[in-house]
Structures are given as C-alpha cells and as structure tokens.
Amino acid sequence: MAEELLVPAFGVHVDGAGPSSPLPVGLPRNRVIAWKWELIALAVRQMTGEGKNA
C-alpha cells in the first residue's frame, strides 16, 4: 500500500532477525536496517526526501 501511495517505507530487524531473515513481500533488503536508534533516525530523515515527501 505504501508503494502504491508513494509513501516511502523501511524495515527494522527485531527479535534476533538479521540480514538473512525472510522479509515481507515487496520490502527490498536494502531498505531494512538494524535496530539502532542512529540508523533509524537517518532512515527517517532519508524518507522525508522521498516519494510524496519530495
């Protein structure tokens, strides 16, 4: 739905998930980050310049 509405999105690895964990359909692996507040803040800043936010 986010893609359809041009809303940028990213995923966060939680509960022991990592780079080889399965992802939801449609979520590219390069849009998933580790659960680190610094990385989440950077991703949020990036999203504010993408899609309908651009």
Side-chain angles (χ1 to χ4, degrees), residues 10-15 17 32-40:
F10 66 96
V12 179
H13 292 300
V14 296
D15 291 333
V32 182
I33 60 174
W35 184 273
K36 294 182 181 175
W37 288 113
E38 302 82 20
L39 296 176
I40 293 169

Side-chain angles (χ1 to χ4, degrees), residues 3-54:
E3 184 178 357
E4 202 174 287
L5 297 173
L6 298 177
V7 175
F10 66 96
V12 179
H13 292 300
V14 296
D15 291 333
S20 62
S21 298
L23 299 177
V25 173
L27 181 61
R29 195 158 295 280
N30 66 347
R31 299 288 280 204
V32 182
I33 60 174
W35 184 273
K36 294 182 181 175
W37 288 113
E38 302 82 20
L39 296 176
I40 293 169
L42 289 171
V44 168
R45 277 191 220 115
Q46 178 183 337
M47 300 296 131
T48 61
E50 295 182 0
K52 66 188 321 178
N53 298 320

